[in-house]
Amino acid sequence: MIQNYFKIALRNLWKNRLFSLINIFGMSVGMACVVILILFAQKCLTFDEFHAHSDRIYYIQTEINDQKHEKTVYPILEQLQKNYPEIEAGTHIQTWYLPWIHYGTKDLQESTVFVDSTFFQIFSFPLKYGTPTTALKGHHSIVISEKIAQNLFGNINPLGKTVTLDDTLQFKVSGVLEPIPSNSSQQFEVVLPTHLLFSLPDFKKRANWFNIFSPVFVLLKKGTDPKALEAKLPHIVKNHFVPESRDNSLHLSKFKHFIHNQNPTFKGLIYGAIAIAVFLLLIISINLINLNMASALPRLKEVAVKQVIGATRSVILKQFWLEAGIVMLLSLWFSGFFAKYYLIPSFNQLREGHMQLDISLEHDYPTIVIILSISLLVTFVAGTYPAYYLMQLKTTEAVKGKISSNPQRGRFRQNSLIVLQFVLAVMLIVGTLGLRQQINFMKTTALGYDKNNVLVFNTNLDYRNSSTALSAGRVVLDELRQNPNVESFCTSTLTPVKYWYNFNEYYPAKNPNQSVRILHASTFENYFETYQIPFIEGRSFLDNSADSANHNIIINEAAMRAFGWKTAVGKQLRQQNDPTIYTVIGVTKNFHYQNLKESIEPLLHWYAGKQKLSNFLTIRLKDPAKASTLIKTVEARFKNIPSRRPLSHFYLSDELAKTYRPIDSIWQMISFVTLLAILIACAGIFGLISLVAKQRTKEIGIRKALGASVTNIVAMLSGQFLQLVGIALGISLPISYWLGQKLLETFAYRTQLQWWYLIFVAIFALIIALVSVSFQALRAALNNPVESLKTD
């Protein structure tokens, strides 16, 4: 019997090979996209859960003025472990700087974390070589990634090998890491002991009970109540924090929340991926049902005859389930190849190293189980619906090939499916256009500085001799002052494209109760002039000793408003836990120092001293066409300065464009899914009009015999579907507009969804529907009416 089922299934699939190919193609591409979206969501929802003790790992949050920070003061860990036996182990994870690692003739610098010896006791990062419990016991132990081990030592086991850090420190390799999962919030290549940081004067100065800069993680003992432990933390604040910080509060937060608290928009990305997967799944499922209905209708007599000779419902259902299952199985097979060899590499390329996807049976079985469950459900529905529809027809009429059941009820079901399919497709189109509009707005809106004709050299090259670099750098700067193509230039620790998240509390020198959290940074002379950041009042820094000696500062308009001032020049400020009095000499207009997704916060610059080489050398060009000559000149000068890194450069406008790549990549992924949804919706209409044309074969023949033209027949068949699309537009456009506005509200600076977008989408939807139905409608209209009338 099973053999007969397969024979009949394969025969019918081949007989309706056009529908079968459309089905398999639509399901393959659609399911591949669903696989990627669900895999991405699964990776994100299971961030950091691969650690053996993930349910007992917590980290310390510091709350300041109702704002929670994922870091705290450095010395707190020692007191926590000393005072609270509920804590089994703890560690810092610092990313203070990137040391150079030397072995033989090779030098490299990779992402580095500084941790305590208990790091591997808390986190389950597997080692290829070495023992986790002892890997960091020695003060001069280093754990490296497999990639670094390969680069430095080749294919040998490097345990016990000695490497040199920053030309002076000898460290022994005590462990080699296996590749870190992509859904780990901690990504690094080198692990070093934290004690090394105390040899750095700047770190030692900051590692006090005031500065909030250290991520601290603890492993609680089994059975510990986190809330009860958190209730004890105010004791730490009261007895150890500096007086200025005793209004702060501490919280214990689950480690699995770390990634979401660091990136508040991350959950929106996850739920967005799930929503798009559901939308796409509905569209491809409806399409499969529609096409199955269209291909099942010619089998009316087959089903009726089987019922007459005694076939039960289960026999007929098994036949249709098997056929739907074969289509689904082939689709899954093709979708797996498409996902693995095209979509995943494309996705990873768009993400540029962030959250790279891969598929493995060991780690991604939840995704595989979900996809298989969905496939079984879709197979069941797609096989059951046409089988029940055919079995409900009158057997006496069905044996003759006639459809005499209530046609309105059947059409209502079909019409509902096509309306739902187009509602989902239109919502995706409107969302895609809205996101594209927002991206263009962010790329073209005024930033508060001039990004054009600005050439930036990255001069943070790790010079081998700092005094030599300093004197050689002055020569370079003197030559730039004489260059006729240089309008202005500056050296700086950062650029307006991106500022470090370095905050402190400032308050008026005479009013310590009025504090404002301000992002602060240092800079040199000519910074504001080179980037053409305008001033509201006051002046810029001058290259003299007075601005440094007087501790002069420049704030932005947002900072002035935060203090409630109408004028700020001459006002004096202090930082918490710092007796220095700073004097405001200028106020700049607000400018966007991060992308327009974020709002402009209070900003302060202090004077870094006499101009010298720093992280960046920025040049505003008079004639961009002559930039290549200037670049060659600067590169030639820097080749004579010994350094570990080569000089590199970029244009500020290009670097700014890079900050929008993550959201651009999201738009590209949504655009691909939207295009797919449109194609599948067209295939669904193609299948339904085939079904309708078959149901109305006799009617078409009679109309043609009575003189109806081909145009009349095409208009009759097409009109019904255009009405359905119109209904879908009436439902979807208001919902899409509302959802589009909600999407844009997640951006601090946003555009408005244009009304004419809705008109464009409506016209576009009608056109693609008309194109989809025209072929089948024309084919039905051109049939010989004599043959059509024979259907009776």
Side-chain angles (χ1 to χ4, degrees), residues 450 453-459 477 480 486-496 526-527 530-531 611 615-621 630 650 652:
D450 188 355
N453 304 329
V454 176
L455 178 65
V456 183
F457 290 91
N458 188 338
T459 52
L477 299 182
L480 289 176
V486 176
E487 182 177 330
S488 63
F489 73 89
C490 70
T491 59
S492 59
T493 55
L494 37 74
T495 71
N526 227 24
Y527 177 80
T530 301
Y531 288 109
Q611 200 168 58
N615 292 346
F616 299 100
L617 169 62
T618 303
I619 302 172
R620 180 168 291 280
L621 304 169
L630 177 61
F650 57 85
L652 189 67

Side-chain angles (χ1 to χ4, degrees), residues 193 226 291 383 391 735:
L291 292 177
M391 287 188 292
I735 298 173

